[in-house]
Amino acid sequence: MKNGIFRKKSISDLVVASKTGTTLNKELGTWDLTMLGIGAIIGTGIFVLTGAGALTAGPALILSFIIAALACLFAALSYAEFASTVPVSGSVYTYTYATMGEFLAWIIGWDLILEYLLAVSAVSVGWSGYFQSLLKGFGIHIPDSLSAAPGAVPDLTSYFNLPAFLIVMLITFLLSIGVKQSKRVNNIMVVIKVAVVLLFIAVAVVYVKPANWTPFTPFGMEGIFAAAALVFFAFIGFDAIASAAEETKNPNKDLPKGIIYSLLICTFLYVIVTGIMTGVVPFPDFKGNEDHPISLVLQVAGQNWVAGVVDVGAILGMTTVMLVMLYGQTRVSYAMSRDGLLPKFFRTVHKKYRTPYGSTWFFGIVAALMGALIPLDELAKLVNIGTLSAFMLVSMAVLVLRRTQPDLPRAFRCPGVPWIPLLAILFCGFLMFQLDGATWVRFLIWLLIGSVVYFIYSKRHSKLEKDID
């Protein structure tokens, strides 16, 4: 432990703190964690971003997904080592606290707040669009004034996105009453949406025309890399599994399996779906249809009934993404509050439900209002840059911990150290620099605000500060 902003919390102290006081219920196993990961990953990426990605990379979007998946896989192996070694809530925030000190831990925690909040809000807007489309099929129309955020749709007078607000409030309520109830709902929805994806594959594959894959790389490597930075959003979520450490029955074994299994399953599905999409529909035809590319493929194939089923799958897919991302947000803030870096309110655990009740409702309401009131087109890029920076830090932390505490018991060891973590840092850093300058400016402003909060409040209230005093 050091004085100042780079003081560290020992791993033994972290584990002891997680087992004392009011603890969280241990309800999750490998199956639940894998479903949690798939629930977070399969959603907006496969149902929406594939269209924009095809316009950016053409049929070579398959390679873009593989590049993004490799960046995630390298980082996932680092996550798995930490999750099995430090089975404590907080994910990369906690890992950074134990290896690189309090200030960097605070910054990455602040970064995760940005990632999870914007992810929930952005996905809620996409969910609202699909839900309203489904309602229109039954002749039900939500008033324009309650259908979108102000200024989100040109030539439409709107004041509040009511469906986006209500779905986040429903998910907040579900998370507040217990992880057991949440996992059951998540598992059911994940099984349904994976079945929908498999149905799409089975129906659409017979309509593939190999000629549509030529030229395979119409925009060259530049297009492939740009699309990789875009579709990286499709993999965000597996890191939220690490936030469930204190609610996992056997975290040393279950967490690494859940992280790796969910990532591999989703990568396989993404590559197959992307290949079929660009094989059925020539990639230029996705222009103007970026918000429902999967449905477009089925309509072109003349399978409109399946397109309707896919719309339902998209709604369920986005619901589970919001559930898992909001879950991860509340567990990170719970850990930060327990360390004194956030007010006590955020670590208050409900006596009956044993969930971080205050934190769940606070962030749920904030995310719901953001989705209802703010157009998040450009801000969604902040989710990518925030996540990539988190992946880089956790990979660095593995290298640091291997050097500083080589004899620490590790139930899972990241293979190929130092090369695998270094590859994660290289891939994630490369993808970060594919994002535009405006995204970097917004990200740096957010980190600057976080630094001010740290020095005004968090540093003085840190439990390590009190220990020193």
Side-chain angles (χ1 to χ4, degrees):
M1 185 186 302
K2 296 180 179 180
N3 295 338
I5 63 174
F6 295 108
R7 55 199 174 203
K8 301 173 186 176
K9 195 165 185 178
S10 73
I11 290 177
S12 59
D13 288 346
L14 286 168
V15 175
V16 169
S18 71
K19 297 179 180 179
T20 57
T22 306
T23 58
L24 305 175
N25 281 342
K26 293 185 179 295
E27 298 283 355
L28 307 175
T30 298
W31 166 259
D32 300 312
L33 293 169
T34 303
M35 291 295 101
L36 202 65
I38 295 174
I41 298 171
I42 295 182
T44 306
I46 200 167
F47 292 112
V48 178
L49 285 180
T50 42
L55 291 171
T56 306
L61 180 61
I62 291 175
L63 299 180
S64 302
F65 270 108
I66 292 174
I67 291 170
L70 283 173
C72 291
L73 178 60
F74 295 144
L77 292 169
S78 297
Y79 263 99
E81 174 166 326
F82 257 115
S84 65
T85 307
V86 192
V88 178
S89 282
S91 184
V92 65
Y93 155 76
T94 301
Y95 311 152
T96 306
Y97 209 154
T99 54
M100 291 184 279
E102 183 176 275
F103 179 67
L104 285 177
W106 162 262
I107 287 296
I108 204 61
W110 187 252
D111 176 25
L112 290 175
I113 290 174
L114 176 75
E115 173 195 342
Y116 291 143
L117 267 183
L118 285 182
V120 174
S121 301
V123 175
S124 74
V125 176
W127 185 96
S128 175
Y130 267 94
F131 182 70
Q132 292 182 62
S133 177
L134 185 65
L135 289 182
K136 288 176 183 177
F138 294 97
I140 302 172
H141 297 268
I142 292 175
D144 289 350
S145 59
L146 298 176
S147 65
V153 182
D155 302 322
L156 180 70
T157 304
S158 56
Y159 304 102
F160 193 82
N161 193 329
L162 183 62
F165 179 82
L166 292 179
I167 186 58
V168 177
M169 285 290 88
L170 178 61
I171 289 170
T172 301
F173 169 75
L174 186 63
L175 285 172
S176 71
I177 62 174
V179 69
K180 178 183 287 188
Q181 291 76 10
S182 301
K183 81 170 184 181
R184 287 173 178 168
V185 173
N186 179 72
N187 290 355
I188 292 170
M189 288 193 290
V190 168
V191 169
I192 293 173
K193 75 175 177 180
V194 170
V196 167
V197 173
L198 293 176
L199 174 65
F200 166 80
I201 293 172
V203 171
V205 68
V206 297
Y207 296 94
V208 169
K209 297 178 181 178
N212 289 334
W213 290 329
T214 305
F216 186 68
T217 58
F219 306 108
M221 295 305 296
E222 183 179 350
I224 292 172
F225 292 143
L230 173 68
V231 301
F232 178 81
F233 186 91
F235 291 97
I236 291 173
F238 78 84
D239 54 315
I241 298 175
S243 301
E246 290 183 38
E247 290 154 288
T248 301
K249 297 173 184 176
N250 187 356
N252 292 345
K253 294 182 179 179
D254 294 339
L255 281 171
K257 291 179 181 178
I259 290 171
I260 295 171
Y261 290 171
S262 61
L263 184 59
L264 291 177
I265 291 170
C266 292
T267 300
F268 174 77
L269 292 176
Y270 280 166
V271 170
I272 297 298
V273 167
T274 301
I276 291 174
M277 276 180 49
T278 53
V280 175
V281 178
F283 75 88
D285 292 355
F286 285 106
K287 189 171 182 61
N289 298 287
E290 296 97 327
D291 58 345
H292 58 282
I294 302 296
S295 296
L296 175 66
V297 171
L298 292 167
Q299 290 164 8
V300 170
Q303 299 291 336
N304 290 322
W305 71 273
V306 184
V309 174
V310 167
D311 285 346
V312 175
I315 290 171
L316 292 177
M318 294 182 188
T319 302
T320 60
V321 171
M322 289 183 284
L323 188 150
V324 178
M325 299 306 277
L326 186 56
Y327 171 87
Q329 169 67 85
T330 59
R331 271 47 181 183
V332 169
S333 59
Y334 171 80
M336 294 173 73
S337 176
R338 190 166 57 190
D339 293 331
L341 305 185
L342 287 177
K344 183 179 179 181
F345 169 79
F346 292 99
R347 66 177 180 273
T348 303
V349 175
H350 195 281
K351 291 182 179 179
K352 177 181 178 181
Y353 300 128
R354 304 285 287 279
T355 59
Y357 206 72
S359 178
T360 300
W361 279 103
F362 175 84
F363 286 111
I365 291 171
V366 171
L369 289 173
M370 289 174 65
L373 295 170
I374 305 174
L376 293 171
D377 296 350
E378 286 299 318
L379 291 179
K381 295 178 182 177
L382 283 169
V383 179
N384 281 11
I385 197 169
T387 306
L388 285 164
S389 60
F391 287 2
M392 290 179 70
L393 266 180
V394 78
S395 301
M396 293 177 190
V398 164
L399 295 175
V400 171
L401 196 62
R402 282 287 188 100
R403 184 174 181 83
T404 57
Q405 299 187 51
D407 299 325
L408 188 70
R410 294 168 169 83
F412 175 88
R413 297 178 68 89
C414 174
V417 173
W419 304 113
I420 294 296
L422 288 174
L423 283 171
I425 295 168
L426 179 65
F427 270 66
C428 292
F430 178 77
L431 292 178
M432 286 179 72
F433 283 103
Q434 303 304 306
L435 297 168
D436 58 47
T439 301
W440 276 92
V441 170
R442 292 173 182 139
F443 180 60
L444 293 174
I445 289 173
W446 177 256
L447 294 184
L448 179 61
I449 294 171
S451 299
V452 172
V453 173
Y454 174 78
F455 286 107
I456 290 177
Y457 176 87
S458 303
K459 183 177 183 297
R460 294 190 295 110
H461 291 83
S462 166
K463 288 195 173 181
L464 292 189
E465 179 86 6
K466 294 178 181 178
D467 290 342
I468 293 171
D469 295 341

